[in-house]
Amino acid sequence: MTKLYDFVTASGTVMLAAEQTAVEPPCVAVKAESDNLALVSGPAKAHASSCAQIGRRAKGTKMDVEQNLETVRQGYAAFSSGDMDTLMKLYNDDVVHVVPGESRVSGSHKGKDSVLTLYAALFELSGGTFRIQLDHVLSDGGDRVVSIHTSSMEKDGETITQTEALMFTLVNGKVAEIQDFFGDISLNDRLFS
């Protein structure tokens, strides 16, 4: 049996670590720094081919991968400019955006209307000060894209910034699912309480 773990460290490093049964040594980690992927040292090197397949979906063509990366970039541009019409054109009708934690924006937001309500709440709860800056976009070579961004907002007279990541799953070139990852979930809970 295989367990998958996704992490965003305080330094903004995205890590996918996999643990397998005792039959094979565990895959230690695949680490993404900037836009380069590298296998981290450890027993995983000996089983790189089996480790690379853990959690992987069908590999896309170079054109599909580039289009998925571009779709995510376009989504960030639309979100940042407040162009929700363009953003929603990039999403499937039954899109799901999952936000972990215990804040007022946490939960599984299903469908475009629910996702738009989530995004409106981000702006409302931040007094309109919520901003994101896209830092990196990474692909698994298939239908998943991980973005790393810096978010900022004003809260109680203080500007707060944090590194966050989103994992997008795309189907036929459109966003089907988004999963948020935070370096400090308790901070996010406090910001959006």
Side-chain angles (χ1 to χ4, degrees), residues 69-158:
L69 292 168
E70 185 57 27
T71 296
V72 170
R73 288 184 192 104
Q74 289 173 359
Y76 268 86
F79 183 91
S80 294
S81 68
D83 185 354
M84 295 299 125
D85 289 335
T86 296
L87 184 61
M88 289 300 111
K89 288 177 185 172
L90 302 173
Y91 288 9
N92 284 336
D93 289 338
D94 58 351
V95 64
V96 177
H97 190 145
V98 180
V99 181
E102 302 295 325
S103 75
R104 290 174 53 189
V105 298
S106 296
S108 291
H109 306 273
K110 299 174 184 176
K112 288 182 179 180
D113 288 341
S114 181
V115 171
L116 283 171
T117 301
L118 162 66
Y119 298 162
L122 294 174
F123 289 103
E124 178 185 328
L125 293 170
S126 70
T129 65
F130 184 74
R131 301 285 182 268
I132 56 172
Q133 171 65 46
L134 180 61
D135 300 318
H136 303 284
V137 181
L138 308 164
S139 173
D140 72 345
D143 61 358
R144 291 181 293 185
V145 172
V146 173
S147 64
I148 302 169
H149 65 258
T150 304
S151 70
S152 64
M153 66 180 282
E154 301 291 323
K155 183 76 170 185
D156 301 326
E158 179 183 357

Side-chain angles (χ1 to χ4, degrees), residues 4 11 17 19 26 38 41 66 71 108 133 162 164 169-170 183:
L4 294 176
S11 65
E19 178 184 304
S41 63
E66 289 300 321
T71 296
S108 291
Q133 171 65 46
Q162 66 175 335
E164 302 172 359
T169 302
L170 292 98

Side-chain angles (χ1 to χ4, degrees), residues 3-18:
K3 296 178 185 175
L4 294 176
Y5 305 94
D6 291 311
F7 304 95
V8 176
T9 66
S11 65
T13 302
V14 174
M15 300 182 79
L16 171 68

